[in-house]
């Protein structure tokens, strides 16, 4: 599971700036080990030290002790084993579990598959693509999202096909 990404450098001692996908953002430091890499190549880092810094977060990976070594990690994803995450409560989902699910409205019209999600602050939004068209559907259970069947690969939404 991807929990974040290395997006920049912080200082000269090998610290890096992170983009965290966890909520709250500093929750990322509670997981260990991290597997940091690009594509299928990754290096394991245990007991990563980090903190909030201004509006972002920063971390130091053991053995990454200079600006050049840290710079080589910019763009790398931070992953953890799925088994390290707690099981979601009933009615809660990890975004990664929703990505790729087919989306259908109440009339059975296929809208495509969930490409990704993003948060607006008020609610999360499903980005649904069918190749040519993209729909943004608010992920608001009971109001717009009527059923999520992760095992069946489907999400049913109350959404007009022309919207």
């Amino acid at each position: 599971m991807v929990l974040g990404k290395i997006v920049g450098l912080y200082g000269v001692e090998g610290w890096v700036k992170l983009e965290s996908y966890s909520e709250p953002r500093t929750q990322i430091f509670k997981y260990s080990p991290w597997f940091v890499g690009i594509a299928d190549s990754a290096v394991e880092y245990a007991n990563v030290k980090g903190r909030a810094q201004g509006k972002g977060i920063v971390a130091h990976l053991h053995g990454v002790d200079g600006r050049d070594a840290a710079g080589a990690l910019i763009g790398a994803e931070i992953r953890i084993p799925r088994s390290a995450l707690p099981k979601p409560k009933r009615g809660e989902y990890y975004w990664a579990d929703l990505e790729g699910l087919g989306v259908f409205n109440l009339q059975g019209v296929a809208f495509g598959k969930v490409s990704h999600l993003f948060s607006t602050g008020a609610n999360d939004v499903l980005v649904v693509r069918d190749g040519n068209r993209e729909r943004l559907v608010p992920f608001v259970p009971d109001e717009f999202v009527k059923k999520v069947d992760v095992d069946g690969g489907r999400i049913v939404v109350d959404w007009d096909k022309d919207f």
Side-chain angles (χ1 to χ4, degrees):
M1 298 279 301
V2 177
L3 279 190
K5 185 173 171 180
I6 297 176
V7 296
L9 302 173
Y10 179 76
V12 296
E13 296 179 356
W15 284 70
V16 292
K17 293 180 183 178
L18 305 179
E19 178 180 350
S20 173
Y21 306 145
S22 61
E23 189 62 43
R25 64 185 179 187
T26 55
Q27 180 75 19
I28 196 169
F29 299 118
K30 295 195 180 200
Y31 299 102
S32 184
W34 287 2
F35 295 89
V36 177
I38 298 172
D40 293 334
S41 164
V43 175
E44 182 176 339
Y45 295 96
N47 304 315
V48 174
K49 294 185 178 10
R51 66 177 185 268
Q53 182 66 40
K55 292 185 179 183
I57 58 174
V58 296
H60 184 261
L61 308 175
H62 182 72
V64 179
D65 295 322
R67 193 168 177 83
D68 291 339
L73 297 173
I74 294 176
E77 292 180 329
I78 300 164
R79 302 179 208 124
I80 62 166
R82 173 62 191 247
S83 60
L85 295 173
K87 185 175 180 172
K89 296 175 185 168
R90 184 181 173 107
E92 293 182 351
Y93 308 93
Y94 289 113
W95 284 8
D97 294 336
L98 301 176
E99 292 170 356
L101 297 184
V103 179
F104 302 83
N105 72 1
L106 293 172
Q107 292 72 39
V109 176
F111 286 171
K113 294 184 181 279
V114 177
S115 165
H116 61 282
L117 293 94
F118 65 89
S119 181
T120 65
N123 57 268
D124 297 332
V125 176
L126 297 166
V127 179
V128 183
R129 293 189 179 143
D130 71 356
N132 296 325
R133 184 163 181 191
E134 179 177 273
R135 288 182 175 89
L136 304 179
V137 181
F139 192 84
V140 180
D142 299 326
E143 187 173 347
F144 300 117
V145 176
K146 296 301 184 179
K147 182 177 182 181
V148 176
D149 181 1
V150 173
D151 294 331
R154 296 175 60 100
I155 298 174
V156 177
V157 297
D158 186 1
W159 203 251
D160 189 284
K161 68 179 175 65
D162 295 324
F163 196 68

